[in-house]
Coordinates of all heavy atoms in Angstrom, one line a residue:
M1 N 90.6 -48.5 196.8 CA 91.3 -49.7 196.4 C 90.4 -50.6 195.6 O 89.3 -50.8 196.0 CB 91.9 -50.4 197.6 CG 93.1 -49.8 198.3 SD 93.7 -50.8 199.7 CE 92.5 -50.1 200.9
A2 N 90.9 -51.1 194.6 CA 90.1 -51.9 193.6 C 89.6 -53.2 194.4 O 88.4 -53.5 194.2 CB 90.9 -52.3 192.5
W3 N 90.5 -53.9 195.1 CA 90.0 -55.1 195.7 C 88.9 -54.8 196.8 O 87.9 -55.6 196.9 CB 91.2 -55.9 196.4 CG 91.8 -55.2 197.4 CD1 93.0 -54.4 197.5 CD2 91.5 -55.3 198.8 NE1 93.3 -53.9 198.7 CE2 92.4 -54.5 199.5 CE3 90.4 -55.9 199.5 CZ2 92.3 -54.3 200.9 CZ3 90.3 -55.7 201.0 CH2 91.3 -54.9 201.7
A4 N 89.0 -53.6 197.5 CA 88.0 -53.4 198.6 C 86.7 -53.2 197.8 O 85.7 -53.6 198.4 CB 88.5 -52.2 199.3
N5 N 86.7 -52.5 196.7 CA 85.5 -52.3 196.0 C 84.8 -53.6 195.5 O 83.6 -53.8 195.6 CB 85.8 -51.3 194.8 CG 84.5 -50.8 194.2 OD1 83.5 -50.6 194.8 ND2 84.5 -50.8 192.8
G6 N 85.7 -54.4 195.0 CA 85.2 -55.7 194.6 C 84.6 -56.5 195.7 O 83.5 -57.2 195.5
G7 N 85.3 -56.5 196.9 CA 84.8 -57.2 198.0 C 83.4 -56.6 198.4 O 82.6 -57.4 198.8
A8 N 83.3 -55.4 198.4 CA 82.0 -54.8 198.9 C 80.9 -55.2 198.0 O 79.7 -55.5 198.4 CB 82.1 -53.2 198.8
T9 N 81.2 -55.3 196.7 CA 80.1 -55.7 195.7 C 79.7 -57.2 196.0 O 78.5 -57.4 196.1 CB 80.7 -55.6 194.2 OG1 81.1 -54.3 194.0 CG2 79.6 -56.0 193.2
R10 N 80.8 -58.0 196.3 CA 80.4 -59.3 196.5 C 79.7 -59.6 197.7 O 78.8 -60.4 197.7 CB 81.9 -60.1 196.6 CG 81.7 -61.6 196.7 CD 83.1 -62.3 196.7 NE 84.0 -61.8 197.7 CZ 84.0 -62.2 198.9 NH1 83.2 -63.1 199.4 NH2 84.9 -61.8 199.8
T11 N 79.9 -58.7 198.8 CA 79.2 -59.1 200.0 C 77.9 -58.4 200.1 O 77.2 -58.4 201.2 CB 80.2 -58.6 201.2 OG1 80.5 -57.1 201.0 CG2 81.3 -59.4 201.3
T12 N 77.5 -57.6 199.2 CA 76.1 -56.9 199.2 C 75.1 -57.6 198.4 O 74.0 -57.1 198.1 CB 76.3 -55.4 198.8 OG1 77.0 -55.4 197.6 CG2 77.1 -54.6 199.9
T13 N 75.4 -58.8 197.7 CA 74.4 -59.5 196.9 C 73.5 -60.0 197.9 O 73.7 -60.4 199.1 CB 75.0 -60.6 196.1 OG1 75.6 -61.5 197.0 CG2 76.1 -60.1 195.1
K14 N 72.2 -60.2 197.4 CA 71.1 -60.9 198.2 C 71.6 -62.2 198.7 O 71.3 -62.5 199.9 CB 69.8 -60.9 197.3 CG 68.6 -61.2 198.2 CD 67.4 -61.4 197.3 CE 66.9 -60.3 196.5 NZ 65.7 -60.6 195.8
E15 N 72.2 -63.1 197.9 CA 72.5 -64.4 198.3 C 73.5 -64.4 199.4 O 73.5 -65.2 200.3 CB 73.1 -65.1 197.1 CG 72.2 -65.5 196.0 CD 71.8 -64.2 195.2 OE1 72.4 -63.2 195.2 OE2 70.7 -64.4 194.5
H16 N 74.5 -63.4 199.3 CA 75.5 -63.4 200.4 C 74.9 -62.9 201.6 O 75.3 -63.4 202.7 CB 76.7 -62.5 199.9 CG 77.9 -62.4 200.8 ND1 77.9 -61.8 202.0 CD2 79.0 -63.1 200.8 CE1 79.1 -62.1 202.6 NE2 79.7 -62.9 201.8
R17 N 74.0 -61.9 201.7 CA 73.4 -61.5 202.9 C 72.7 -62.7 203.5 O 72.6 -62.9 204.7 CB 72.4 -60.3 202.7 CG 73.3 -59.0 202.4 CD 72.3 -57.9 202.8 NE 71.2 -57.8 201.9 CZ 71.1 -57.2 200.6 NH1 72.2 -56.6 200.2 NH2 70.1 -57.2 199.9
R18 N 71.9 -63.5 202.7 CA 71.2 -64.5 203.2 C 72.0 -65.5 203.9 O 71.8 -66.1 204.9 CB 70.3 -65.1 202.1 CG 69.3 -66.1 202.6 CD 68.5 -66.7 201.4 NE 67.7 -65.7 200.6 CZ 67.6 -65.8 199.3 NH1 68.2 -66.8 198.6 NH2 67.0 -64.8 198.7
W19 N 73.1 -65.9 203.2 CA 74.1 -66.8 203.7 C 74.8 -66.3 205.1 O 74.8 -67.1 206.0 CB 75.3 -67.0 202.7 CG 76.5 -67.7 203.2 CD1 76.6 -69.1 203.3 CD2 77.7 -67.1 203.6 NE1 77.9 -69.3 203.8 CE2 78.6 -68.2 204.0 CE3 78.2 -65.8 203.6 CZ2 79.9 -68.0 204.4 CZ3 79.5 -65.5 204.1 CH2 80.3 -66.7 204.5
A20 N 75.2 -65.1 205.1 CA 75.8 -64.4 206.2 C 74.8 -64.6 207.4 O 75.2 -64.9 208.5 CB 76.2 -63.0 206.1
K21 N 73.6 -64.3 207.2 CA 72.6 -64.2 208.3 C 72.4 -65.7 208.8 O 72.3 -65.9 210.0 CB 71.2 -63.7 207.8 CG 70.3 -63.3 208.9 CD 69.1 -62.4 208.3 CE 68.9 -61.2 209.1 NZ 67.8 -60.4 208.5
A22 N 72.4 -66.6 207.9 CA 72.1 -68.1 208.3 C 73.4 -68.5 209.1 O 73.2 -69.2 210.1 CB 72.0 -69.0 207.1
V23 N 74.6 -68.1 208.7 CA 75.7 -68.5 209.5 C 75.8 -67.8 210.8 O 76.0 -68.6 211.8 CB 77.0 -68.1 208.7 CG1 78.3 -68.2 209.6 CG2 77.2 -68.9 207.4
L24 N 75.5 -66.6 210.9 CA 75.5 -65.9 212.2 C 74.4 -66.4 213.2 O 74.7 -66.7 214.3 CB 75.2 -64.3 212.0 CG 76.3 -63.6 211.2 CD1 75.8 -62.2 210.8 CD2 77.6 -63.5 212.1
R25 N 73.2 -66.7 212.6 CA 72.2 -67.3 213.5 C 72.6 -68.7 213.9 O 72.3 -69.0 215.2 CB 70.9 -67.5 212.7 CG 70.2 -66.1 212.6 CD 68.9 -66.3 211.9 NE 68.1 -65.0 211.9 CZ 67.1 -64.8 211.0 NH1 66.7 -65.7 210.2 NH2 66.5 -63.7 211.1
R26 N 73.1 -69.5 213.0 CA 73.6 -70.8 213.5 C 74.5 -70.8 214.7 O 74.5 -71.6 215.6 CB 74.1 -71.6 212.2 CG 74.5 -73.0 212.7 CD 75.6 -73.6 211.6 NE 76.8 -72.8 211.8 CZ 77.7 -72.8 210.9 NH1 77.6 -73.6 209.8 NH2 78.8 -72.1 211.0
D27 N 75.5 -69.8 214.6 CA 76.5 -69.8 215.5 C 76.2 -68.8 216.8 O 76.9 -68.6 217.7 CB 77.9 -69.1 215.0 CG 78.5 -70.2 214.0 OD1 78.2 -71.4 214.0 OD2 79.3 -69.7 213.1
G28 N 74.9 -68.3 216.7 CA 74.4 -67.5 217.9 C 75.1 -66.2 218.0 O 75.3 -65.7 219.1
Y29 N 75.7 -65.8 216.8 CA 76.4 -64.4 216.8 C 77.6 -64.4 217.7 O 78.1 -63.4 218.2 CB 75.5 -63.3 217.2 CG 74.3 -63.0 216.1 CD1 73.3 -63.7 216.1 CD2 74.6 -62.1 215.2 CE1 72.2 -63.5 215.1 CE2 73.7 -61.8 214.1 CZ 72.4 -62.6 214.2 OH 71.5 -62.4 213.2
R30 N 78.2 -65.7 217.9 CA 79.4 -65.8 218.8 C 80.6 -66.2 217.9 O 80.5 -67.1 217.1 CB 79.1 -66.9 219.9 CG 80.2 -67.0 220.8 CD 79.9 -68.1 221.8 NE 78.8 -67.7 222.8 CZ 79.0 -67.1 223.9 NH1 80.1 -66.8 224.4 NH2 77.9 -67.0 224.7
C31 N 81.7 -65.5 218.1 CA 82.9 -65.7 217.3 C 83.5 -67.1 217.6 O 83.6 -67.5 218.8 CB 84.0 -64.6 217.8 SG 85.5 -64.9 217.0
V32 N 83.7 -67.9 216.6 CA 84.2 -69.2 216.8 C 85.7 -69.3 217.2 O 86.1 -70.4 217.8 CB 83.9 -70.0 215.5 CG1 82.5 -70.2 215.1 CG2 84.8 -69.5 214.3
D33 N 86.4 -68.2 217.1 CA 87.8 -68.2 217.5 C 88.0 -67.8 219.0 O 88.7 -68.4 219.7 CB 88.6 -67.2 216.5 CG 88.9 -67.8 215.2 OD1 88.5 -69.0 215.1 OD2 89.4 -67.1 214.4
C34 N 87.3 -66.6 219.3 CA 87.6 -66.1 220.7 C 86.4 -66.1 221.6 O 86.5 -65.9 222.8 CB 88.2 -64.7 220.6 SG 87.0 -63.6 220.1
G35 N 85.3 -66.6 221.1 CA 84.1 -66.6 221.9 C 83.4 -65.3 222.2 O 82.4 -65.2 223.0
Y36 N 83.8 -64.3 221.5 CA 83.2 -63.0 221.7 C 81.6 -63.0 221.3 O 81.3 -63.6 220.1 CB 83.9 -61.9 220.7 CG 83.1 -60.6 220.7 CD1 83.3 -59.6 221.7 CD2 82.3 -60.2 219.6 CE1 82.7 -58.5 221.7 CE2 81.7 -59.0 219.6 CZ 81.9 -58.1 220.6 OH 81.3 -57.0 220.6
Q37 N 80.9 -62.6 222.1 CA 79.3 -62.6 221.9 C 79.0 -61.3 221.1 O 79.0 -60.2 221.6 CB 78.6 -62.7 223.1 CG 77.1 -62.8 222.9 CD 76.7 -64.0 222.0 OE1 76.9 -65.1 222.5 NE2 76.1 -63.8 221.0
G38 N 78.7 -61.5 219.8 CA 78.2 -60.3 219.0 C 76.7 -60.0 219.2 O 76.0 -60.8 219.9
T39 N 76.3 -59.0 218.6 CA 74.8 -58.5 218.6 C 74.3 -58.5 217.2 O 74.9 -57.9 216.3 CB 74.8 -57.2 219.3 OG1 75.5 -57.2 220.5 CG2 73.4 -56.7 219.5
A40 N 73.2 -59.0 217.1 CA 72.5 -59.0 215.6 C 72.3 -57.6 215.2 O 71.8 -56.7 216.0 CB 71.2 -59.8 215.8
G41 N 72.7 -57.4 214.0 CA 72.5 -56.1 213.4 C 73.6 -55.0 213.7 O 73.5 -53.9 213.2
K42 N 74.5 -55.3 214.6 CA 75.4 -54.4 215.0 C 76.7 -54.3 214.2 O 77.5 -53.4 214.1 CB 75.8 -54.6 216.5 CG 76.5 -53.5 217.2 CD 76.8 -53.8 218.7 CE 77.6 -52.8 219.3 NZ 78.2 -53.3 220.6
G43 N 77.0 -55.4 213.4 CA 78.1 -55.5 212.6 C 79.4 -55.9 213.4 O 80.5 -55.7 212.8
D44 N 79.3 -56.2 214.6 CA 80.5 -56.5 215.3 C 81.0 -58.0 215.1 O 82.2 -58.3 215.5 CB 80.4 -56.2 216.8 CG 79.1 -56.8 217.5 OD1 78.4 -57.5 216.8 OD2 79.1 -56.8 218.8
V45 N 80.3 -58.8 214.5 CA 80.5 -60.1 214.2 C 80.3 -60.3 212.6 O 79.3 -59.7 212.1 CB 79.9 -61.3 215.0 CG1 80.6 -61.3 216.3 CG2 78.5 -61.1 215.0
N46 N 81.1 -61.1 211.9 CA 80.9 -61.2 210.5 C 80.8 -62.7 210.2 O 81.3 -63.6 210.9 CB 82.1 -60.7 209.7 CG 82.4 -59.2 209.9 OD1 83.6 -59.0 210.0 ND2 81.4 -58.5 210.0
A47 N 80.1 -63.0 209.1 CA 80.1 -64.4 208.5 C 81.4 -64.5 207.7 O 81.6 -63.7 206.8 CB 78.9 -64.7 207.8
D48 N 82.2 -65.5 207.9 CA 83.5 -65.7 207.2 C 83.4 -67.0 206.5 O 82.8 -67.9 207.0 CB 84.6 -65.6 208.2 CG 86.0 -65.6 207.5 OD1 86.0 -65.0 206.4 OD2 87.0 -66.1 208.2
H49 N 84.1 -67.0 205.4 CA 84.4 -68.4 204.6 C 85.5 -69.0 205.3 O 86.7 -68.6 205.4 CB 84.7 -68.1 203.1 CG 83.5 -67.6 202.4 ND1 83.3 -66.2 202.2 CD2 82.7 -68.2 201.7 CE1 82.2 -66.1 201.4 NE2 81.9 -67.3 201.1
Q50 N 85.3 -70.2 205.9 CA 86.3 -71.0 206.5 C 87.4 -71.3 205.5 O 88.6 -71.1 205.7 CB 85.7 -72.4 207.0 CG 86.8 -73.3 207.8 CD 87.3 -72.6 209.1 OE1 86.8 -71.6 209.6 NE2 88.4 -73.1 209.5
T51 N 87.0 -71.8 204.4 CA 88.0 -71.9 203.2 C 87.6 -70.8 202.2 O 86.6 -70.7 201.8 CB 87.7 -73.4 202.3 OG1 87.9 -74.4 203.3 CG2 88.7 -73.4 201.3
P52 N 88.6 -69.9 202.1 CA 88.3 -68.8 201.3 C 87.9 -69.1 199.8 O 88.3 -70.0 199.3 CB 89.7 -67.9 201.3 CG 90.4 -68.6 202.4 CD 89.9 -70.0 202.6
V53 N 87.0 -68.2 199.3 CA 86.6 -68.4 198.0 C 87.8 -68.5 197.0 O 87.8 -69.2 196.0 CB 85.7 -67.3 197.6 CG1 85.2 -67.4 196.1 CG2 84.4 -67.3 198.4
A54 N 88.8 -67.7 197.3 CA 89.9 -67.7 196.5 C 90.7 -69.0 196.3 O 91.4 -69.2 195.5 CB 91.0 -66.6 197.0
F55 N 90.5 -69.8 197.4 CA 91.2 -71.1 197.6 C 90.1 -72.2 197.3 O 90.3 -73.4 197.6 CB 91.8 -71.4 198.9 CG 92.8 -70.4 199.3 CD1 93.2 -70.3 200.7 CD2 93.5 -69.6 198.4 CE1 94.2 -69.4 201.1 CE2 94.5 -68.8 198.8 CZ 94.8 -68.7 200.1
G56 N 89.0 -71.9 196.6 CA 88.1 -72.9 196.2 C 86.9 -73.1 197.2 O 86.1 -74.1 197.0
G57 N 86.9 -72.2 198.3 CA 85.7 -72.4 199.2 C 84.4 -72.0 198.6 O 84.4 -71.2 197.6
T58 N 83.3 -72.5 199.2 CA 81.9 -72.1 198.7 C 81.1 -71.3 199.6 O 81.5 -71.4 200.8 CB 81.2 -73.4 198.3 OG1 81.2 -74.3 199.5 CG2 81.8 -74.2 197.2
T59 N 80.2 -70.7 199.2 CA 79.3 -69.9 200.0 C 78.2 -70.7 200.5 O 77.1 -70.6 200.0 CB 78.9 -68.5 199.3 OG1 80.0 -67.9 198.8 CG2 78.0 -67.7 200.2
T60 N 78.5 -71.6 201.4 CA 77.6 -72.6 201.9 C 77.5 -72.5 203.4 O 78.6 -72.1 204.0 CB 77.9 -74.1 201.5 OG1 79.2 -74.4 201.9 CG2 77.8 -74.2 200.0
L61 N 76.5 -72.9 204.1 CA 76.4 -72.9 205.6 C 77.6 -73.7 206.1 O 78.1 -73.3 207.0 CB 75.1 -73.5 206.0 CG 74.6 -73.2 207.4 CD1 74.7 -71.7 207.6 CD2 73.4 -73.8 207.7
G62 N 77.9 -74.9 205.5 CA 79.0 -75.8 206.0 C 80.4 -75.0 206.0 O 81.3 -75.3 206.7
N63 N 80.6 -74.0 205.0 CA 81.8 -73.4 204.9 C 81.8 -72.0 205.6 O 82.7 -71.3 205.6 CB 82.3 -73.1 203.5 CG 83.7 -72.7 203.3 OD1 84.6 -73.1 204.1 ND2 83.9 -71.8 202.4
G64 N 80.7 -71.7 206.3 CA 80.6 -70.4 207.0 C 80.9 -70.5 208.5 O 80.7 -71.5 209.1
R65 N 81.6 -69.4 209.0 CA 82.0 -69.4 210.4 C 81.7 -67.9 210.8 O 82.1 -67.0 210.2 CB 83.4 -69.7 210.6 CG 83.9 -71.1 210.3 CD 83.3 -72.1 211.1 NE 83.9 -73.5 210.9 CZ 83.4 -74.3 209.9 NH1 82.5 -73.8 209.1 NH2 84.0 -75.4 209.6
T66 N 81.2 -67.8 212.1 CA 81.1 -66.5 212.6 C 82.3 -66.0 213.3 O 82.9 -66.8 214.0 CB 79.9 -66.5 213.7 OG1 78.7 -66.9 213.0 CG2 79.8 -65.1 214.3
R67 N 82.8 -64.9 213.0 CA 84.0 -64.3 213.6 C 83.8 -62.8 213.9 O 83.2 -62.1 213.1 CB 85.2 -64.4 212.5 CG 85.8 -65.9 212.5 CD 87.1 -66.0 211.8 NE 87.7 -67.3 212.1 CZ 87.4 -68.4 211.5 NH1 86.6 -68.3 210.3 NH2 87.9 -69.5 211.7
C68 N 84.4 -62.4 215.1 CA 84.4 -61.0 215.3 C 85.3 -60.2 214.4 O 86.1 -60.9 213.8 CB 84.8 -60.8 216.8 SG 86.4 -61.1 217.2
V69 N 85.2 -59.0 214.4 CA 86.0 -58.1 213.5 C 87.5 -58.4 213.6 O 88.2 -58.7 212.6 CB 85.6 -56.6 213.5 CG1 86.4 -55.9 212.6 CG2 84.2 -56.5 213.0
P70 N 88.1 -58.4 214.8 CA 89.5 -58.5 214.9 C 90.0 -60.0 214.5 O 91.0 -60.1 213.9 CB 89.8 -58.4 216.5 CG 88.6 -57.6 217.0 CD 87.4 -57.9 216.1
C71 N 89.2 -61.0 214.8 CA 89.5 -62.3 214.4 C 89.4 -62.5 212.9 O 90.2 -63.2 212.3 CB 88.7 -63.4 215.2 SG 89.0 -63.6 216.9
H72 N 88.4 -61.9 212.4 CA 88.1 -62.0 210.9 C 89.4 -61.3 210.3 O 90.0 -61.9 209.3 CB 86.9 -61.1 210.6 CG 86.5 -61.4 209.2 ND1 85.3 -60.9 208.6 CD2 87.0 -62.3 208.2 CE1 85.1 -61.3 207.4 NE2 86.1 -62.1 207.1
K73 N 89.9 -60.1 210.7 CA 91.0 -59.4 210.1 C 92.3 -60.3 210.3 O 93.1 -60.4 209.4 CB 91.2 -58.2 210.9 CG 90.4 -57.1 210.3 CD 90.7 -55.7 211.0 CE 89.8 -54.6 210.4 NZ 89.9 -53.4 211.2
K74 N 92.4 -61.0 211.5 CA 93.6 -61.8 211.8 C 93.6 -63.0 210.6 O 94.7 -63.4 210.1 CB 93.6 -62.3 213.1 CG 94.5 -61.7 214.1 CD 94.6 -62.4 215.4 CE 93.6 -61.9 216.3 NZ 93.5 -62.5 217.7
K75 N 92.5 -63.6 210.5 CA 92.5 -64.7 209.5 C 92.6 -64.3 208.1 O 93.4 -65.0 207.3 CB 91.0 -65.4 209.7 CG 90.8 -66.6 208.7 CD 89.5 -67.4 209.1 CE 89.3 -68.5 208.1 NZ 89.1 -68.1 206.7
T76 N 92.1 -63.1 207.7 CA 92.3 -62.7 206.4 C 93.7 -62.4 206.2 O 94.3 -62.7 205.1 CB 91.6 -61.4 206.2 OG1 90.1 -61.6 206.5 CG2 91.7 -60.8 204.8
G77 N 94.4 -61.8 207.2 CA 95.9 -61.6 207.1 C 96.7 -62.9 206.9 O 97.6 -63.0 206.1
R78 N 96.3 -64.0 207.6 CA 96.9 -65.3 207.5 C 96.7 -65.9 206.1 O 97.7 -66.4 205.4 CB 96.4 -66.2 208.5 CG 96.9 -66.1 210.0 CD 96.7 -67.4 210.7 NE 95.3 -67.8 210.9 CZ 94.5 -67.4 211.8 NH1 94.9 -66.5 212.7 NH2 93.3 -67.7 211.9
E79 N 95.5 -65.6 205.6 CA 95.2 -66.1 204.2 C 96.0 -65.4 203.1 O 96.4 -66.0 202.2 CB 93.7 -66.0 204.0 CG 92.9 -67.1 204.7 CD 91.3 -66.6 204.9 OE1 91.0 -65.6 204.3 OE2 90.8 -67.4 205.6
A80 N 96.2 -64.1 203.4 CA 97.0 -63.3 202.4 C 98.4 -63.9 202.4 O 99.0 -64.1 201.3 CB 96.9 -61.9 202.7
A81 N 98.9 -64.2 203.5 CA 100.3 -64.8 203.6 C 100.4 -66.2 203.0 O 101.3 -66.5 202.3 CB 100.8 -64.8 205.0
E82 N 99.3 -66.9 203.3 CA 99.2 -68.3 202.7 C 99.1 -68.2 201.3 O 99.8 -69.0 200.5 CB 98.0 -69.0 203.3 CG 97.7 -70.3 202.7 CD 98.6 -71.4 203.0 OE1 99.6 -71.1 203.7 OE2 98.5 -72.5 202.4
G83 N 98.4 -67.3 200.6 CA 98.2 -67.1 199.2 C 99.6 -66.8 198.6 O 99.9 -67.3 197.5
R84 N 100.4 -65.9 199.3 CA 101.7 -65.6 198.7 C 102.6 -66.8 198.8 O 103.3 -67.1 197.8 CB 102.3 -64.5 199.5 CG 101.6 -63.0 199.3 CD 102.5 -61.9 199.8 NE 102.5 -62.0 201.3 CZ 101.6 -61.4 202.1 NH1 100.6 -60.7 201.4 NH2 101.7 -61.4 203.4
R85 N 102.5 -67.6 199.8 CA 103.4 -68.8 200.0 C 103.0 -69.8 198.9 O 103.8 -70.4 198.2 CB 103.2 -69.4 201.4 CG 104.3 -70.4 201.8 CD 103.9 -71.0 203.2 NE 102.7 -71.8 203.1 CZ 102.6 -72.9 202.7 NH1 103.6 -73.5 202.1 NH2 101.4 -73.6 202.7
R86 N 101.7 -70.0 198.7 CA 101.2 -71.0 197.7 C 101.7 -70.6 196.2 O 102.1 -71.4 195.5 CB 99.7 -71.2 197.7 CG 99.2 -71.9 198.8 CD 97.7 -72.2 198.7 NE 97.2 -72.7 199.9 CZ 96.0 -73.3 199.9 NH1 95.3 -73.4 198.9 NH2 95.5 -73.7 201.1
R87 N 101.6 -69.3 196.0 CA 102.1 -68.9 194.7 C 103.6 -69.1 194.4 O 104.0 -69.6 193.3 CB 101.7 -67.4 194.4 CG 100.2 -67.2 194.0 CD 100.1 -65.8 193.5 NE 100.3 -64.8 194.5 CZ 99.4 -64.5 195.4 NH1 98.2 -65.1 195.5 NH2 99.6 -63.5 196.3
R88 N 104.4 -68.9 195.5 CA 105.8 -69.1 195.4 C 106.1 -70.7 195.2 O 107.1 -71.0 194.5 CB 106.6 -68.6 196.7 CG 106.8 -67.1 196.7 CD 108.0 -66.8 197.6 NE 107.7 -67.3 199.0 CZ 107.0 -66.6 199.9 NH1 106.5 -65.4 199.5 NH2 106.9 -67.1 201.1
Q89 N 105.4 -71.5 196.0 CA 105.7 -72.9 196.0 C 104.9 -73.7 195.1 O 105.1 -74.9 195.1 CB 105.5 -73.5 197.4 CG 106.4 -72.8 198.5 CD 106.2 -73.4 199.9 OE1 105.3 -74.2 200.1 NE2 107.3 -73.1 200.6
R90 N 104.2 -73.1 194.2 CA 103.3 -74.0 193.2 C 104.3 -74.7 192.3 O 105.1 -74.2 191.7 CB 102.4 -73.1 192.5 CG 101.6 -73.9 191.5 CD 100.4 -73.0 191.0 NE 100.6 -71.7 190.8 CZ 99.7 -70.8 190.9 NH1 98.4 -71.1 191.0 NH2 100.0 -69.5 190.7
P91 N 104.1 -76.1 192.4 CA 105.0 -76.8 191.6 C 104.7 -76.8 190.1 O 103.6 -76.6 189.7 CB 104.8 -78.2 192.1 CG 103.4 -78.3 192.6 CD 103.1 -76.9 193.1
A92 N 105.7 -77.1 189.3 CA 105.5 -77.0 187.9 C 104.5 -78.2 187.6 O 104.7 -79.3 188.1 CB 106.8 -77.2 187.1
Q93 N 103.6 -78.0 186.7 CA 102.6 -79.0 186.3 C 103.1 -79.9 185.2 O 103.2 -79.3 184.1 CB 101.2 -78.4 186.1 CG 100.8 -77.6 187.3 CD 99.2 -77.7 187.4 OE1 98.5 -78.0 186.7 NE2 98.8 -77.6 188.8
R94 N 103.5 -81.1 185.5 CA 104.0 -82.0 184.4 C 103.3 -83.3 184.4 O 102.9 -83.8 185.4 CB 105.5 -82.2 184.6 CG 106.3 -81.0 184.4 CD 107.8 -81.4 184.4 NE 108.6 -80.2 184.4 CZ 109.9 -80.3 184.9 NH1 110.4 -81.3 185.4 NH2 110.5 -79.1 184.8
H95 N 103.1 -83.8 183.2 CA 102.6 -85.2 183.0 C 103.6 -85.9 182.2 O 103.7 -85.9 181.1 CB 101.3 -85.1 182.2 CG 100.2 -84.3 182.9 ND1 99.3 -84.9 183.8 CD2 99.9 -83.0 182.9 CE1 98.5 -83.9 184.3 NE2 98.8 -82.8 183.8
P96 N 104.5 -86.5 183.0 CA 105.8 -87.1 182.4 C 105.5 -88.0 181.2 O 106.3 -88.0 180.2 CB 106.3 -88.0 183.5 CG 105.8 -87.4 184.8 CD 104.4 -86.9 184.4
G97 N 104.4 -88.8 181.2 CA 104.3 -89.8 180.1 C 103.6 -89.0 178.8 O 103.5 -89.7 177.7
I98 N 103.2 -87.8 179.0 CA 102.3 -87.2 177.8 C 103.2 -86.1 177.3 O 103.5 -85.1 177.9 CB 101.0 -86.6 178.4 CG1 100.3 -87.8 179.1 CG2 100.2 -86.0 177.3 CD1 99.1 -87.1 179.9
P99 N 103.6 -86.2 176.1 CA 104.4 -85.2 175.4 C 103.6 -83.9 175.3 O 102.5 -84.0 175.0 CB 104.8 -85.8 174.1 CG 104.0 -87.0 173.9 CD 103.3 -87.3 175.1
V100 N 104.3 -82.7 175.5 CA 103.6 -81.4 175.3 C 103.6 -81.1 173.8 O 104.7 -81.0 173.2 CB 104.3 -80.5 176.2 CG1 103.7 -79.0 175.9 CG2 104.3 -80.7 177.6
D101 N 102.5 -81.1 173.3 CA 102.3 -80.8 171.8 C 102.7 -82.0 171.0 O 103.7 -82.2 170.7 CB 102.9 -79.5 171.4 CG 102.1 -78.3 171.9 OD1 100.8 -78.5 172.0 OD2 102.7 -77.3 172.2
Ligands
ZN201 ZN1 86.9 -63.3 217.9

């Protein structure tokens, strides 16, 4: 799948790895949603963007949250639904006082 390949590329950059490690260490490798205690280097917890990059989130410590794999998947699923909803409900962008062209 094209998106999966793009995601893999994005998450294997040096900057992303450094960010992920900082987030996981700050949270003590514990899932912020269910409290699952992960293990360093095991891959059972991930650093997640609280506000997804697709919605304008940044790869900063403040926007990072540690989540276990099931919670990460659940959140990603919610975000996909939210993205579909936003696209449907996006209002027409108008500037009433300014004539177009
Ligand atoms: Zn969890």
Side-chain angles (χ1 to χ4, degrees):
M1 284 180 279
W3 65 265
N5 188 38
T9 302
R10 183 171 59 79
T11 55
T12 51
T13 63
K14 194 190 284 182
E15 290 74 18
H16 190 280
R17 280 201 303 271
R18 192 182 298 145
W19 169 79
K21 198 169 230 179
V23 171
L24 294 171
R25 279 186 179 161
R26 185 203 56 197
D27 292 340
Y29 292 85
R30 186 182 290 271
C31 174
V32 297
D33 282 354
C34 72
Y36 172 82
Q37 180 63 58
T39 305
K42 200 178 168 190
D44 53 351
V45 287
N46 303 141
D48 185 30
H49 288 87
Q50 182 63 20
T51 300
V53 174
F55 298 162
T58 52
T59 305
T60 56
L61 198 55
N63 191 39
R65 298 289 185 282
T66 296
R67 285 195 166 84
C68 69
V69 173
C71 288
H72 195 180
K73 278 186 181 164
K74 259 187 266 176
K75 180 169 178 293
T76 304
R78 282 199 302 273
E79 284 159 7
E82 171 70 5
R84 285 192 294 274
R85 197 183 63 78
R86 285 191 188 196
R87 279 194 293 280
R88 275 202 307 274
Q89 296 186 345
R90 181 156 39 199
Q93 304 220 333
R94 282 191 195 153
H95 298 274
I98 304 168
V100 178
D101 283 330

